[in-house]
């Protein structure tokens, strides 16, 4: 089969590799119909995730059809259309019993595209299939469903739920890439008083407005004065960090009010300074986390009910064998306007440029 193989930092390629086979009785083989690229994949290519070894097939988000199952698999069977979760829980270890699937110590957790071959391929072996695969109804739109493999669970769990967004809160979201936008969309479910979106790119701030942000500000314009103005000098109740840089994290700590909550979603490849000399008396709560995907069934239900604007995050689509082109477009978001790219569907142009009239 063909797959996107990591050969070391900055060196991916669309190669021919052996077809995956069942290795455990709890495995399933899925034919990938649609995959996508995550910002974490870009971090891998930068060398920020050193446990990814050269030769690994990348990717941890897909929708496809089950073609083979091991003898212990009970919840799916060949022919089923499924969502492939980014986290593969063993279901038996202490952390899985606590629904902290991302911390699985039984051979699962975030393994696809990291410790084992992933889903940016024509076929993928999915371990612990009973908990890692979510059957999809015939009505589920593939372009929407694939965003529930990682983007929406991450934003909802690590961002909105960890930060405890409540009705009436002022919520600042720093970084309006796909996960930041999903955080805005899912924060809206809790009726916050206002949502403030911060980003470098005007196009992404326009997307934030469409998804429910009440105020937007470019990073270069200084978001902290705006937060102060809108909150009477108190600061935001909740700040969600969705960038993953020292500067963005430190800005988040300055935007939060005393007693506020900061939820870090961004993947950090460098150390961040925690200014406890300034923060120790401000009663801040700072959370970090890897997604557990425990909310995926709930999110699928909300998607079916039309409560999640998932498809609006897809700006580019490609055939599966255009993987390298898709990576190029996704990695140059400032130039291409890319939010989320989907592979395995016919190529179409950028949505934002279609609506703006640009060529």
């Amino acid at each position: 089969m063909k797959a996107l193989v990591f050969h070391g930092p900055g060196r991916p390629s669309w190669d021919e590799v052996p077809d995956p086979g069942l290795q455990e009785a709890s495995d399933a083989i899925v034919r990938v119909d649609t995959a996508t690229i995550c910002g974490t994949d870009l971090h891998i290519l930068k060398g920020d995730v050193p446990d990814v070894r050269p030769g690994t097939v990348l990717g941890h988000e897909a929708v496809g059809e089950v073609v083979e199952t091991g003898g212990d698999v009970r919840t799916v069977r060949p022919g089923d259309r499924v969502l492939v979760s980014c986290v593969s829980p063993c279901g038996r270890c202490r952390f899985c019993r606590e629904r902290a699937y991302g911390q699985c110590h039984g051979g699962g957790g975030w393994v696809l595209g990291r410790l084992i071959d992933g889903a940016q391929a024509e076929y993928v072996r999915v371990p612990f299939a009973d908990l890692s695969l979510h059957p999809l109804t015939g009505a589920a739109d593939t372009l929407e469903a694939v965003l529930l493999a990682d983007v929406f669970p991450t934003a909802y769990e690590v961002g909105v739920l960890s930060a405890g967004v409540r009705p009436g809160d002022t919520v600042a979201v720093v970084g309006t890439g796909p996960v930041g936008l999903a955080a805005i969309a899912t924060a809206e479910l809790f009726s916050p008083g206002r949502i403030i979106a911060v980003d470098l790119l005007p196009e992404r701030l326009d997307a934030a407005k469409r998804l429910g942000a009440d105020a937007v500000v470019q990073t270069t314009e200084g978001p902290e004065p705006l937060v102060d103005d809108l909150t009477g000098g108190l600061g935001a109740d909740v700040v969600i960090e969705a960038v993953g840089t020292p500067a963005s994290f430190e800005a988040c700590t300055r935007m939060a009010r005393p007693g506020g909550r900061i939820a870090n979603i961004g993947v950090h490849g460098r150390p961040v300074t925690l200014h406890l000399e300034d923060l120790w008396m401000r009663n801040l709560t700072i959370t970090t986390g890897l997604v557990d995907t425990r909310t995926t069934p709930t999110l699928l239900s909300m998607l079916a009910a039309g409560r999640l604007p998932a498809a609006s995050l897809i700006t580019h689509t490609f055939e599966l064998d255009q993987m390298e082109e898709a990576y190029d477009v996704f990695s140059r978001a400032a130039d291409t306007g890319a939010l989320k790219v989907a592979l395995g569907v016919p190529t179409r142009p950028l949505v934002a440029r279609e609506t703006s009239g640009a060529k």
Side-chain angles (χ1 to χ4, degrees), residues 6 9-10 39-52 110 243-245 267-270:
F6 173 70
T40 305
D41 296 320
L42 299 184
H43 281 279
I44 291 171
L45 292 178
K46 291 177 183 177
D48 291 344
V49 188
D51 50 1
V52 181
W110 172 35
V243 181
T245 65
V267 178
H268 290 266
R270 289 179 290 161

Side-chain angles (χ1 to χ4, degrees), residues 47-296:
D48 291 344
V49 188
D51 50 1
V52 181
R53 295 182 176 277
T56 302
V57 175
L58 296 184
H60 51 266
E61 305 166 87
V63 167
E65 180 181 319
V66 177
V67 296
E68 188 179 3
T69 58
D72 290 347
V73 177
R74 296 289 180 268
T75 61
V76 296
R77 59 185 180 181
D80 285 351
R81 183 166 165 259
V82 293
L83 171 68
V84 179
S85 176
C86 66
V87 168
S88 304
C90 79
R92 298 185 298 272
C93 72
R94 170 183 172 175
F95 294 104
C96 285
R97 289 177 181 272
E98 295 173 355
R99 300 180 73 208
Y101 301 139
Q103 303 304 318
C104 176
H105 272 207
W110 172 35
V111 293
L112 286 176
R114 173 173 163 252
L115 302 180
I116 67 173
D117 286 339
Q120 290 171 4
E122 294 176 329
Y123 293 88
V124 59
R125 177 181 73 89
V126 181
F128 308 116
D130 280 337
L131 291 175
S132 304
L133 298 178
H134 299 271
L136 297 174
T137 65
D141 181 82
T142 295
L143 288 182
E144 292 183 320
V146 75
L147 295 186
L148 271 60
D150 183 357
V151 172
F152 272 87
T154 295
Y156 186 52
E157 295 175 14
V158 185
V160 173
L161 295 183
S162 290
V165 175
R166 298 189 289 254
D169 277 349
T170 293
V171 178
V173 178
V174 179
T176 55
V179 174
L181 292 173
I184 291 170
T186 51
E188 280 280 281
L189 299 169
F190 292 85
S191 300
R194 64 174 66 85
I195 297 176
I196 304 166
V198 182
D199 202 281
L200 277 169
L201 302 179
E203 297 84 358
R204 291 194 167 187
L205 293 176
D206 289 341
K209 289 180 186 177
R210 295 194 295 270
L211 286 169
D214 302 286
V216 300
V217 58
Q218 284 187 264
T219 308
T220 53
E221 295 176 356
E224 294 154 58
L226 175 64
V227 172
D228 282 344
D229 288 346
L230 293 176
T231 61
L234 291 178
D237 301 289
V238 169
V239 186
I240 295 175
E241 200 282 346
V243 181
T245 65
S248 61
F249 178 83
E250 291 176 27
C252 288
T253 65
R254 295 191 296 268
M255 288 183 212
R257 67 164 172 82
R261 291 95 67 195
I262 300 169
N264 183 90
I265 303 177
V267 178
H268 290 266
R270 289 179 290 161
V272 170
T273 300
L274 184 63
H275 289 284
L276 285 178
E277 74 277 11
D278 298 323
L279 302 176
W280 69 271
M281 66 173 66
R282 290 180 53 205
N283 294 21
L284 294 178
T285 298
I286 300 174
T287 61
T288 67
L290 177 67
V291 65
D292 294 313
T293 67
R294 67 183 185 278
T295 64
T296 300

